[in-house]
């Protein structure tokens, strides 16, 4: 297996993996989407709400705000030593106090933990009129995307096979039809030769082979190489999502092996 | 139960008026029920 990082910034990681089966790639993708834990507001204690928005809708909106997460410091509330009562290891309290007129933004939250804050300060929550008031306490907890989408660590998370473009240079007459038809504009005629500028941008749409009357060009893909594109919501770094997803996959495999061994021993085979 | 008058905004105890719904301050007959001062816990989902 060979891994190469193609693109990386605060919110996005694009990497190429060679020597991987589709099933494995898909397992990794599904775990990244639905099993990587992140913090999200799970319960809201409303003291005052004279805004036009109902408490339940307000709470739902608060739940969808992505929150910066440190996975080293938090555990699931069900697995915590406090037995679900709520302690600094499994829960963070954020308070919101605001009086109208004006818009309440996610940046108005005051967190008891200065590292656990909303990812963006400019997410509008509710618009308050003259004299309207909001006073509430929100409890953020760890959760998994399979329980509710607010706990999803990724925005867009996908993979594709590595595209390859086969060109038969002997039969190609350099007509340039494929260069024009390509929607990604990755083909070029340079020095009397048809060349591919950036093969990874190819979407395998097969426009070029349709344009070619001589069948000199055909795009295909490498079945055992993948390009992953992981986009984070901002709560975790994209590389942390991939690492955590791999660990979860490993744990699942280990659990399977353990159970399988126990089952075989139990039946006396 | 306390209600707020729709015109003058004064808080009125309506039980005192013996069934006649009328603001003791301005005579207006439309009232708004105030939100109960209880702490509400809601699930954010």
């Amino acid at each position: 297996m060979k891994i190469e990082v193609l693109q990386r910034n605060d919110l996005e990681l694009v990497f190429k993996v060679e020597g991987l089966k589709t099933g494995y790639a898909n397992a990794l993708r599904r775990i990244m989407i639905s099993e990587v834990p992140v913090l999200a507001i799970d319960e809201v204690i409303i003291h005052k709400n004279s805004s036009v928005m109902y408490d339940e809708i307000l709470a739902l909106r608060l739940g969808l705000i992505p929150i910066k997460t440190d996975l080293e410091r938090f555990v699931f509330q069900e697995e915590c030593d406090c037995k679900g009562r709520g302690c600094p290891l499994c829960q963070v309290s954020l308070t919101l106090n605001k009086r109208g007129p004006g818009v309440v933004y996610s940046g108005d939250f005051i967190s008891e933990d200065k590292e656990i804050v909303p990812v963006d300060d400019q997410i509008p929550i509710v618009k308050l009129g003259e004299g309207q008031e909001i006073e509430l306490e929100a409890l953020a907890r760890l959760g998994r995307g399979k329980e509710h989408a607010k706990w999803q660590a990724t925005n867009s998370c996908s993979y594709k096979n590595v595209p390859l473009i086969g060109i038969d240079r002997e039969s190609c007459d350099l007509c340039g039809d494929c260069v024009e038809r390509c929607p990604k504009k990755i083909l070029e005629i340079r020095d009397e030769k048809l060349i591919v500028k950036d093969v990874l941008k190819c979407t395998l749409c097969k426009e070029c082979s349709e344009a070619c009357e001589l069948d000199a060009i055909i795009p295909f893909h490498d079945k055992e190489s993948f390009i992953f594109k992981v986009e984070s919501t901002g709560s975790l770094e994209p590389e942390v999502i991939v690492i955590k997803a791999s660990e979860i996959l490993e744990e699942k495999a280990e659990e399977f092996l353990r159970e399988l061994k126990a089952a075989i021993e139990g039946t006396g085979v | 139960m306390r209600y707020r008058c729709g015109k003058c905004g004064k808080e009125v105890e309506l039980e005192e008026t013996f069934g006649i719904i009328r603001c003791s301050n301005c005579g207006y007959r439309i009232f708004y029920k105030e939100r109960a001062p209880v702490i509400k816990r809601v699930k954010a989902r």
Side-chain angles (χ1 to χ4, degrees):
Chain A
M1 198 185 287
K2 203 179 134 207
I3 298 177
E4 185 191 339
V5 175
L6 303 173
Q7 202 182 314
R8 181 184 173 190
N9 59 34
D10 290 352
L11 290 175
E12 211 178 274
L13 180 71
V14 182
F15 62 98
K16 191 167 100 176
V17 192
E18 281 168 23
L20 204 65
K21 288 274 190 272
T22 312
Y24 195 95
N26 197 37
L28 195 61
R29 180 190 68 89
R30 291 186 56 149
I31 289 172
M32 281 195 270
I33 291 171
S34 65
E35 305 221 16
V36 175
V38 281
L39 282 173
I41 290 169
D42 188 33
E43 203 160 7
V44 185
I45 302 157
I46 296 171
H47 297 268
K48 268 182 205 161
N49 174 23
S50 53
S51 73
V52 289
M53 200 174 276
Y54 294 118
D55 297 352
E56 287 78 6
I57 295 168
L58 186 70
L60 180 68
R61 283 181 73 88
L62 296 177
L64 294 169
I65 295 170
I67 294 173
K68 278 186 189 141
T69 309
D70 186 356
L71 286 179
E72 311 258 300
R73 279 174 48 199
F74 291 96
V75 291
F76 283 100
Q77 194 152 51
E78 309 88 71
E79 295 160 13
C80 186
D81 294 336
C82 69
K83 289 174 187 127
R85 262 181 271 123
C87 68
L89 279 175
C90 62
Q91 170 172 303
V92 183
S93 158
L94 300 114
T95 48
L96 182 65
N97 276 315
K98 190 108 195 232
R99 218 185 153 79
V103 182
V104 184
Y105 291 100
S106 56
D108 295 324
F109 268 114
I110 299 157
S111 177
E112 63 172 4
D113 192 320
K114 35 178 205 294
E115 282 169 36
I116 311 300
V117 288
V119 165
D120 199 314
D121 282 351
Q122 293 294 313
I123 304 169
I125 296 165
V126 62
K127 198 171 175 179
L128 293 178
E130 183 73 46
Q132 293 179 349
E133 198 180 355
I134 274 184
E135 192 183 315
L136 55 86
E137 185 189 355
L139 303 175
R141 287 169 193 153
L142 271 191
R144 289 191 175 101
K146 62 181 173 186
E147 199 183 338
H148 193 287
K150 68 183 174 184
W151 281 305
Q152 250 183 40
T154 53
N155 278 339
S156 129
C157 177
S158 64
Y159 64 79
K160 68 169 185 180
N161 286 99
V162 173
L164 297 164
I165 298 173
I167 300 168
D168 184 0
R169 293 230 157 80
E170 274 170 28
S171 53
C172 178
D173 64 350
L174 302 174
C175 65
D177 285 351
C178 54
V179 178
E180 228 153 85
R181 279 278 284 280
C182 179
K184 293 283 175 187
K185 304 285 172 215
I186 55 171
L187 298 169
E188 198 181 56
I189 295 174
R190 199 188 288 164
D191 304 332
E192 304 276 298
K193 227 178 182 185
L194 180 66
I195 57 153
V196 184
K197 279 188 284 185
D198 189 359
V199 72
L200 297 183
K201 275 190 185 162
C202 177
T203 58
L204 299 170
C205 65
K206 297 203 163 78
E207 281 285 320
C208 48
S209 64
E210 273 169 36
C212 189
E213 284 167 9
L214 301 163
D215 291 332
I217 182 163
I218 185 157
F220 58 104
H221 62 262
D222 183 353
K223 276 182 181 158
E224 294 194 354
S225 297
F226 295 90
I227 297 169
F228 275 86
K229 189 179 164 195
V230 182
E231 201 181 291
S232 164
T233 56
S235 41
L236 291 171
E237 276 98 47
E239 53 269 25
V240 176
I241 296 175
V242 183
I243 291 166
K244 188 74 191 170
S246 320
E247 283 171 11
I248 292 168
L249 187 58
E250 191 186 357
E251 272 168 39
K252 278 177 187 289
E254 274 168 9
E255 192 193 343
F256 176 76
L257 192 63
R258 212 168 40 239
E259 292 296 318
L260 183 72
K261 276 179 185 164
I264 290 169
E265 276 165 27
T267 52
V269 179
Chain B
M1 185 68 78
R2 295 190 76 80
Y3 294 82
R4 191 172 288 279
C5 174
K7 198 177 182 185
C8 65
K10 200 191 170 204
E11 250 188 47
V12 192
E13 194 84 36
L14 278 187
E15 275 87 340
E16 291 169 13
T17 57
F18 303 104
I20 307 147
I21 297 171
R22 180 158 280 211
C23 178
S24 56
N25 190 34
C26 66
Y28 201 61
R29 296 175 73 175
I30 295 170
F31 290 87
Y32 291 96
K33 192 173 177 176
E34 292 279 281
R35 186 193 165 111
V38 285
I39 292 166
K40 194 169 159 190
R41 268 183 108 98
V42 276
K43 275 271 173 196
R45 57 177 90 177

